[in-house]
Amino acid sequence: MDLYSELRPRAFAIAYQMLGSVSEAEDVVQEAFLRMHQTLRRDERIASPRAYVATLVTRLAIDQLRSARVRRERYVGEWLPEPLVTDPTPAEHAETADSLSLAFLVLLESLSPRQRAAFLLREVFDYPYTEVAEIIGSDVDSARHLVARARAHVQERRPRYHATRRQREELAQRFFAAAEQGDLEALEALLAQDVALHGDGGGKAPAASRPINGRTRVARAMSTGVSILPRLGVRIQLTDVNGQPGAVAFDAEDRLVGVVALDIADGQIQTIHAIVNPDKLRHIDQVGDLEALLRDHRPARRPTG
């Protein structure tokens, strides 16, 4: 295995969990390896390529996140991370545990870039504090302080998945079946009382501009949104989204029009993230136009007068 193939999975994992964006993470990883290659071409010695790449990726991601947050303030509607629908290998899944979930990535948005970096390096990737400090360019005491503050902020709100993988998958199957059938009673039975539905259309596809909260409101929204899909020629395929149960939606020409991720705990669905912004789906597959589908199937208005 060459050095790039060996180091890239960890480099991408750090960048993606820092940025919540596949495209931005890929850019950061590419830049990091380019800089390492230039260093090696100058015959400069790199004692530990693993540590060198982790440092480059983390510092580039910190800078990228600072500028990205300025752009996200102008984002139309609610901003959600770009989803991952490729199944991780068992080793990768064990390494990142539940830290890939969209709910967790959204929670990390509340941290400062340096807090986020220190927290991820220590709590998710298990770097010792000495390496955390070296990577982010601080002393050990400062690194400990950053991690402690981030941990205190995250701990109470971090999603916890007590159900087994099989139990979560079975619940997801029941949820999407009930939504397709428009079965409100069955839907409500699967949702937590304080469930929240988050949508990201980025102004380019139909999505709620703010979260929908509460069992009854979320059940109605999901029933209305999902039950209409067969009439639009859209099919739903269950899959893993960021390591959690979810689904992808394809139009009649097999173009991707949406991704839905479910966060399940205590036998109920706690949070639903629906991403339909085509710009956030292009890394997965060819995308379709959900807005055009809805517009074409909207009943024509009768003339007045």
Side-chain angles (χ1 to χ4, degrees), residues 54 88 244 265:
Q244 304 302 325

Side-chain angles (χ1 to χ4, degrees), residues 21-241:
S21 166
V22 173
S23 54
E24 292 174 1
E26 293 282 10
D27 289 344
V28 161
V29 171
Q30 184 176 357
E31 177 65 20
F33 278 100
L34 176 62
R35 293 190 185 187
M36 184 175 74
H37 178 67
Q38 291 170 340
T39 300
L40 292 173
R41 287 191 63 183
R42 294 193 298 268
D43 293 326
E44 295 180 23
R45 182 173 176 272
I46 298 176
S48 170
R50 172 183 172 274
Y52 187 82
V53 169
T55 300
L56 282 175
V57 166
T58 301
R59 293 182 182 182
L60 287 167
I62 288 173
D63 292 340
Q64 178 72 16
L65 186 56
R66 286 170 176 154
S67 60
R69 286 188 168 178
V70 175
R71 295 193 302 273
R72 290 171 192 176
E73 289 175 0
R74 302 189 296 268
Y75 195 79
V76 178
E78 189 174 5
W79 182 93
L80 295 177
E82 292 180 6
L84 291 174
V85 299
T86 51
D87 290 337
T89 65
E92 288 171 337
H93 194 272
E95 176 181 296
T96 56
D98 293 315
S99 63
L100 274 179
S101 77
L102 291 180
F104 183 63
L105 293 177
V106 169
L107 179 54
L108 293 181
E109 287 292 307
S110 60
L111 303 177
S112 73
R114 279 169 59 81
Q115 279 182 333
R116 184 167 180 166
F119 179 80
L120 285 171
L121 290 170
R122 177 59 190 161
E123 298 293 301
V124 174
F125 298 104
D126 202 30
Y127 283 86
Y129 278 109
T130 52
E131 288 191 48
V132 173
E134 188 173 344
I135 288 172
I136 65 174
S138 75
D139 57 66
V140 173
D141 286 343
S142 297
R144 287 183 183 276
H145 183 65
L146 284 170
V147 173
R149 290 190 63 183
R151 187 191 296 123
H153 188 80
V154 166
Q155 204 160 23
E156 288 187 4
R157 295 190 289 162
R158 183 171 186 173
R160 292 175 173 82
Y161 306 101
H162 303 299
T164 66
R165 184 181 181 87
R166 182 173 180 178
Q167 288 171 332
R168 297 201 300 265
E169 288 174 350
E170 289 176 350
L171 195 151
Q173 290 174 355
R174 289 159 53 201
F175 170 78
F176 285 108
E180 286 185 344
Q181 295 162 10
D183 189 337
L184 283 173
E185 184 176 348
L187 276 175
E188 289 193 30
L190 300 173
L191 300 174
Q193 186 66 42
D194 58 349
V195 63
L197 168 61
H198 302 268
D200 182 341
K204 300 181 179 183
S209 60
R210 60 186 62 185
I212 298 173
N213 297 292
R215 178 182 289 162
T216 301
R217 294 184 66 206
V218 170
R220 287 174 179 167
M222 290 301 300
S223 174
T224 301
V226 176
S227 63
I228 196 177
L229 294 181
R231 283 178 278 164
L232 305 179
V234 174
R235 63 180 175 86
I236 290 178
Q237 177 181 318
L238 272 61
T239 188
D240 275 2
V241 180

Side-chain angles (χ1 to χ4, degrees), residues 280-295:
K280 295 192 174 183
L281 305 177
R282 298 187 197 283
H283 64 282
I284 300 172
D285 208 333
Q286 182 181 3
V287 298
D289 191 338
L290 181 60
E291 187 170 25
L293 284 176
L294 291 167
R295 184 174 59 248

